[in-house]
Amino acid sequence: PTPSTPSIPSTPSTPSTPSTPSTPSQSAPEPEPEPVFEDLAEVPEVHREAVTELAEEGVFDEVGCEADRLCADEPVTRWQLAVVLIRQLEGTDTEPETSNTDAEFTDVDADMWWSVYVQRLSELELTKGCTENSFCPDKQLTRAQAAHFIADAFGLTTTEIAGFNDIEGSPHTAAINALHAVGVTLGCSSEPLRFCPDEQITLQELASLIARAATAAAKTPEPEPEPEPEPVFEDLAEVPEVHREAVTELAEEGIFDEVGCETNQLCPNQPITRWQLAVVLIRQLDGVDSEPETGDEDTDDEASDTDAEFTDVDADMWWSGYVQRLSELELTRGCNNNANNFCPDQQLTRSQAARLIADAFDLTTTTDTAEFSDIADNPHTAAINALFAAGITKGCNTEPLRFCPDEPITLQQIASMINRVAQLAVGS
């Protein structure tokens, strides 16, 4: 047999070059978050931190000039100030809750989303408007006005004088000095030291002032709370918030003394009687220092204080002099078409109260018609319209607009009406 050819040994394979360990891949940097507004980079550095912080907190939402632009260098209007300041004071999570319809202004459209911020500004007594019943929402804010808003909002006061040479005689001088004292503002010029009170303030300047004021207020130690005075009546805390301020104020003035249902109870939600109204109204008109003086004992005229008496008013009742005084002022001619009776314990209706208040405070002259749907045949229509025109009442219902003229009126409702009339007299 043929021998097999020996196999040729295979050439050893060349060892493979070890692979170089791969370098761990670098993680991609996280992208910078989109700015809340596209133009924040345009804000000068001196204001940028404050503007950016407030923007990120949502304080400037819907306040800018466009959807994605803040236009921080543009002048601030009064409605923008209301939104920014209330959000800074009360947070941005929810819209402010408001309950006091007296805070509304005739030039603020309730359908505007920012109207509740304006109303809240008024409820916090941070504004009384620009004129009577007006807020001037689109009017641009001056530096002095902004200083006043901010000082009041953050409770900043001082006895120091900053030395600005252009604020003498300004109604906002105290507020400007207060902001300077805690480092919130250095003014607009240092040589000479000026504040430029009448110049318009921009959104970025406002942001810086608010941020500094918030910091200053946080550093200010809270004063020791003064003990709460004992309430004149134990049940004042039960009064709804919409009436509480008026009821408390009149109670503290002594107008409700001996008018309540018990010694320490006012029962302000109960219907008011005609004799109670006589006491409250005369005390508001003539003061609470003394009981009313009626008639003239030295006169020989046939007319005397006895002419003002009613057969159903006991002269021994402590309040009879108030009823008599009401008659002498020609604010009542009796009740139920009977000139000899006053019906002191009869509950007062809303329309009767309107008539007495309108007459007492000379509010009967008006050409305005409130268009309440339920007062067409009421003998007190003119008085009701007069109170509506003066902002004393908005009726009992808005949709439809009704006054509820025949419903009894409560002590707390009377208090609110009288308080509004008093404020109207002060503003006139």
Side-chain angles (χ1 to χ4, degrees):
T2 304
S4 60
T5 303
S7 61
I8 300 172
S10 61
T11 304
S13 61
T14 305
S16 61
T17 304
S19 60
T20 305
S22 60
T23 304
S25 61
Q26 297 290 332
S27 58
E30 294 185 4
E32 287 291 327
E34 289 292 324
V36 183
F37 297 97
E38 294 176 352
D39 56 347
L40 289 188
E42 301 172 13
V43 178
E45 189 173 349
V46 67
H47 300 299
R48 191 176 304 160
E49 181 179 354
V51 171
T52 302
E53 183 177 331
L54 267 61
E56 291 176 347
E57 291 175 358
V59 171
F60 289 142
D61 287 359
E62 299 183 83
V63 172
C65 57
E66 299 176 18
D68 299 320
R69 291 180 59 80
L70 183 59
C71 300
D73 60 344
E74 291 189 357
V76 178
T77 61
R78 288 169 60 87
W79 76 259
Q80 288 175 308
L81 178 280
V83 175
V84 170
L85 200 53
I86 293 301
R87 282 176 174 168
Q88 177 66 28
L89 293 173
E90 300 187 339
T92 58
D93 295 335
T94 58
E95 288 189 358
E97 294 182 2
T98 58
S99 59
N100 183 8
T101 55
D102 298 335
E104 294 176 358
F105 297 100
T106 56
D107 61 347
V108 174
D109 186 350
D111 293 332
M112 298 300 292
W113 67 268
W114 44 259
S115 65
V116 289
Y117 292 92
V118 174
Q119 186 175 337
R120 183 64 179 149
L121 201 70
S122 178
E123 288 181 349
L124 293 176
E125 297 184 356
L126 296 178
T127 184
K128 294 179 180 176
C130 60
T131 62
E132 184 180 346
N133 299 326
S134 297
F135 181 72
C136 306
D138 295 317
K139 188 174 181 179
Q140 292 176 347
L141 202 69
T142 67
R143 288 170 52 85
Q145 291 166 342
H148 204 145
F149 275 115
I150 292 171
D152 285 353
F154 292 97
L156 301 175
T157 60
T158 189
T159 57
E160 298 178 18
I161 297 176
F164 292 117
N165 69 1
D166 58 351
I167 64 172
E168 185 178 353
S170 169
H172 311 297
T173 297
I176 295 168
N177 285 333
L179 295 195
H180 181 271
V182 292
V184 173
T185 183
L186 297 176
C188 65
S189 171
S190 57
E191 294 181 1
L193 187 61
R194 295 186 300 120
F195 184 74
C196 305
D198 299 323
E199 287 187 7
Q200 296 161 348
I201 191 167
T202 64
L203 207 55
Q204 60 198 22
E205 292 169 338
L206 182 69
S208 289
L209 292 181
I210 287 178
R212 294 172 200 151
T215 301
K219 292 179 180 177
T220 304
E222 290 289 333
E224 288 293 325
E226 295 183 4
E228 288 288 331
E230 289 294 321
V232 183
F233 298 97
E234 294 175 352
D235 56 349
L236 290 188
E238 301 171 13
V239 179
E241 189 175 349
V242 67
H243 299 299
R244 190 174 303 162
E245 182 180 353
V247 171
T248 302
E249 185 174 327
L250 268 60
E252 290 175 349
E253 291 174 1
I255 287 177
F256 290 144
D257 287 358
E258 298 183 83
V259 172
C261 55
E262 298 177 20
T263 304
N264 298 318
Q265 297 280 323
L266 183 60
C267 301
N269 62 341
Q270 291 186 3
I272 191 172
T273 62
R274 289 169 58 85
W275 75 260
Q276 288 175 306
L277 185 280
V279 174
V280 170
L281 201 54
I282 294 302
R283 282 176 174 168
Q284 179 66 30
L285 292 172
D286 293 349
V288 296
D289 294 334
S290 61
E291 291 189 1
E293 296 180 4
T294 58
D296 185 352
E297 296 180 358
D298 297 329
T299 184
D300 293 328
D301 294 342
E302 293 183 4
S304 69
D305 58 345
T306 57
D307 296 335
E309 294 175 359
F310 297 100
T311 57
D312 59 351
V313 173
D314 185 348
D316 293 332
M317 297 301 294
W318 68 268
W319 43 259
S320 64
Y322 292 93
V323 174
Q324 187 174 335
R325 178 68 175 147
L326 201 70
S327 178
E328 288 181 349
L329 293 177
E330 297 184 356
L331 296 178
T332 183
R333 294 183 176 86
C335 65
N336 302 333
N337 297 319
N338 188 337
N340 295 320
N341 289 339
F342 180 71
C343 308
D345 295 317
Q346 187 180 91
Q347 292 178 353
L348 202 70
T349 67
R350 288 171 55 85
S351 62
Q352 292 168 339
R355 175 63 179 272
L356 284 164
I357 291 173
D359 287 351
F361 296 97
D362 294 326
L363 299 174
T364 52
T365 304
T366 183
T367 58
D368 295 336
T369 301
E371 297 183 0
F372 289 114
S373 62
D374 55 353
I375 65 170
D377 299 324
N378 192 286
H380 308 302
T381 296
I384 296 168
N385 285 334
L387 295 195
F388 181 86
I392 308 304
T393 181
K394 294 184 182 298
C396 64
N397 190 67
T398 55
E399 294 181 1
L401 187 63
R402 293 187 299 120
F403 184 74
C404 306
D406 299 323
E407 287 186 7
I409 193 165
T410 64
L411 205 60
Q412 60 198 21
Q413 291 168 336
I414 284 287
S416 286
M417 286 189 175
I418 288 178
N419 201 45
R420 291 168 199 156
V421 172
Q423 292 174 357
L424 186 67
V426 169
S428 63

